[in-house]
Amino acid sequence: MRVKRRILPERIGKAFDSVNPRLTKVFLPWILKNPRYLTGAGLLLKAFNESEETRKTMLERDNLMVPPIMILSITNQCNLSCTGCFAKTLRNSGDNTLKKQAMDFGCWESVINQGRDLGVYTFLIAGGEPFMFPELLDICAGNRDRIFVIFTNGTAINEAQLEKLKRTNNTAVIVSVEGGKELTDDRRGTGVFDCAIATMEKLHKNGIVGGISVTITRRNYGFWMEEENIDYFIERGAKLGFFTEYIPTVEVGDTAISRSPMGDLNIESSSEQTTILTDCERREFREKILRYKDEKSLFIIHSPGDEELFGGCVSSGKGFIHVNPYGDLTPCPVSDIATHNLRHDSLRNGLQSPLFREIRDSEGLLEGGDGPCALFAHQDELEELRKKVGAYRTGL
């Protein structure tokens, strides 16, 4: 057993390095301090290599591009009523969108199994609030050879769920915040920040991989430029940091409706210019993020900055796809168009759809424009494509 434990960390380090050397820097020390992660590491490493080979085979044999990541908005339910929440506004207005039947455990199990068979390795679980989905952790426990990353507001995890998380070694929990106490509570409600931080500390204490997710706007941009603020969250156990610049998805007069890639839908009553970073701010923030990546013990994913390494947006199957609570397969969480619903269509057929193929093949459609989202920057072209392929709007 001692020999295996000595060799396995070396294998893990090599595997991390093959994806990104920063993974080794952040997570290898964590694994050595929490040796229960060694138990399932061999299974995860084997599945990772098999998934890589499966996706390669699908592309070469069937000309089928399968992404390594699926984003699953597993529920539309949430226990908070955040300021500007689009979903809350729809509920209060009686809109029929949220009266559609969300998928149940059996449907999601089928979607995940189809993804596994095609070579998907990582599942990002968003909402609503994922911990309001009763079988959430049963899904993670039933797929121990896949990685699950759950995005939560940090206020809905009960003790029974915490106990289940303590027995997993394939699941990370990412807590969404706006910034510090004032910024977070101003939007999410009084006391939410303290609860979110308490959850992060519990996760850390119990050896559960944790992190933070932030939608960057002009309101909180300055907070995250201050080094001591990001250190505060690292000290409370954050190992992963998702920083996504605000994306407006619909504009009506001076109102912007947006959705963050991890599930938050927002209504801004003022002009989008008060919310989107200026070009100068975006450059400054990117420079700061690159510094954090080099210096901090935090594995950071920055959108859209990191997408530049791949020549633009990696949606529509290039890097990830999205399934909303009702089963609609969309290019990404901020898009509202689809041609396939996975309640009655297969994932394979959805990935082969003209919608996904033409988005990937269209010249410039996935290249960044004047803003944080390529698809948003090319709305006219995307609408023409939607009509051309007969895609429907999902209602979100």
Side-chain angles (χ1 to χ4, degrees):
M1 179 61 71
R2 288 178 183 173
V3 173
K4 288 184 178 179
R5 288 203 170 193
R6 189 164 57 245
I7 294 174
L8 195 52
E10 295 175 3
R11 290 179 58 201
I12 294 171
K14 288 179 181 178
F16 283 163
D17 283 343
S18 70
V19 179
N20 190 315
R22 291 192 181 99
L23 284 170
T24 305
K25 173 184 173 183
V26 174
F27 284 104
L28 194 55
W30 167 267
I31 289 172
L32 295 176
K33 289 180 181 178
N34 296 274
R36 69 183 176 85
Y37 283 93
L38 292 173
T39 305
L43 182 65
L44 287 168
L45 288 174
K46 180 173 182 289
F48 173 79
N49 292 327
E50 289 175 347
S51 296
E52 293 274 295
E53 189 61 35
T54 298
R55 292 197 305 275
K56 180 181 177 182
T57 299
M58 292 292 174
L59 187 60
E60 294 176 349
R61 186 189 68 194
D62 303 330
N63 195 28
L64 176 64
M65 182 174 286
V66 179
I69 297 170
M70 286 181 69
I71 303 173
L72 311 179
S73 292
I74 202 166
T75 180
N76 58 19
Q77 298 300 308
C78 187
N79 61 321
L80 298 183
S81 295
C82 299
T83 300
C85 174
F86 185 38
K88 178 187 73 173
T89 301
L90 287 178
R91 283 194 292 269
N92 292 342
S93 70
D95 189 283
N96 287 327
T97 299
L98 295 183
K99 293 181 181 179
K100 294 195 295 186
Q101 185 179 2
M103 293 208 297
D104 61 15
F105 172 68
C107 291
W108 283 116
E109 195 172 38
S110 172
V111 168
I112 290 169
N113 285 338
Q114 290 180 66
R116 290 169 52 95
D117 290 344
L118 294 176
V120 176
Y121 182 71
T122 302
F123 296 89
L124 307 186
I125 310 296
E129 170 48 51
F131 281 95
M132 294 190 72
F133 188 81
E135 298 89 358
L136 171 66
L137 297 181
D138 294 332
I139 290 174
C140 303
N143 294 275
R144 293 186 179 277
D145 59 346
R146 293 296 186 272
I147 296 293
F148 288 84
V149 183
I150 304 171
F151 292 80
T152 174
N153 60 43
T155 68
I157 303 177
N158 59 40
E159 289 302 316
Q161 290 168 326
L162 185 64
E163 285 300 315
K164 285 186 177 181
L165 283 167
K166 285 163 62 175
R167 296 193 293 272
T168 66
N169 50 26
N170 65 335
T171 305
V173 179
I174 310 302
V175 177
S176 297
V177 293
E178 309 300 320
K181 183 179 179 67
E182 182 178 353
L183 283 165
T184 300
D185 285 4
D186 183 57
R187 168 142 197 275
R188 297 176 177 262
T190 302
V192 170
F193 178 78
D194 289 340
C195 188
I197 292 301
T199 293
M200 288 187 64
E201 291 174 339
K202 279 184 182 179
L203 294 170
H204 185 57
K205 179 181 177 181
N206 287 283
I208 301 158
V209 177
I212 53 173
S213 175
V214 187
T215 299
I216 298 297
T217 70
R218 298 197 74 190
R219 296 188 184 97
N220 64 1
Y221 150 82
F223 177 91
W224 295 103
M225 292 289 286
E226 297 294 331
E227 191 166 341
E228 61 267 26
N229 290 332
I230 200 165
D231 287 341
Y232 173 88
F233 291 92
I234 294 172
E235 289 164 4
R236 279 148 188 82
K239 294 297 177 187
L240 288 160
F242 292 79
F243 294 88
T244 305
E245 294 175 28
Y246 168 88
I247 303 166
T249 54
V250 178
E251 296 174 62
V252 183
D254 63 354
T255 297
I257 299 175
S258 72
R259 179 167 188 158
S260 82
M262 289 306 115
D264 289 341
L265 291 95
N266 315 307
I267 292 178
E268 301 296 336
S269 58
S270 56
S271 167
E272 64 165 290
Q273 298 306 320
T274 66
T275 312
I276 296 178
L277 300 184
T278 66
D279 289 342
C280 180
E281 288 168 340
R282 290 185 68 205
R283 286 193 296 271
E284 289 178 349
F285 187 69
R286 180 59 179 170
E287 290 173 4
K288 181 68 74 169
I289 284 291
L290 291 174
R291 239 193 74 197
Y292 289 160
K293 286 188 177 211
D294 286 338
E295 299 175 1
K296 304 297 181 183
S297 58
L298 181 73
F299 187 80
I300 295 176
I301 298 93
H302 173 217
S303 178
D306 290 347
E307 293 173 354
E308 296 171 4
L309 301 174
F310 303 96
C313 176
V314 291
S315 68
S316 306
K318 285 184 68 176
F320 62 83
I321 50 174
H322 171 249
V323 185
N324 72 19
Y326 313 110
D328 299 306
L329 180 66
T330 69
C332 70
V334 301
S335 62
D336 69 338
I337 58 175
T339 56
H340 288 69
N341 184 288
L342 300 189
R343 284 181 183 276
H344 44 76
D345 293 319
S346 73
L347 177 59
R348 174 187 281 270
N349 288 342
L351 289 171
Q352 290 175 321
S353 69
L355 174 64
F356 281 13
R357 287 185 182 275
E358 295 223 15
I359 287 177
R360 293 195 302 262
D361 295 342
S362 296
E363 184 175 351
L365 195 56
L366 291 181
E367 294 178 3
D370 296 329
C373 175
L375 291 181
F376 179 74
H378 300 284
Q379 289 185 85
D380 292 341
E381 298 98 311
L382 191 61
E383 176 61 12
E384 288 180 13
L385 176 58
R386 183 189 73 80
K387 293 176 180 177
K388 175 184 174 182
V389 301
Y392 61 88
R393 292 204 174 276
T394 66
L396 289 177

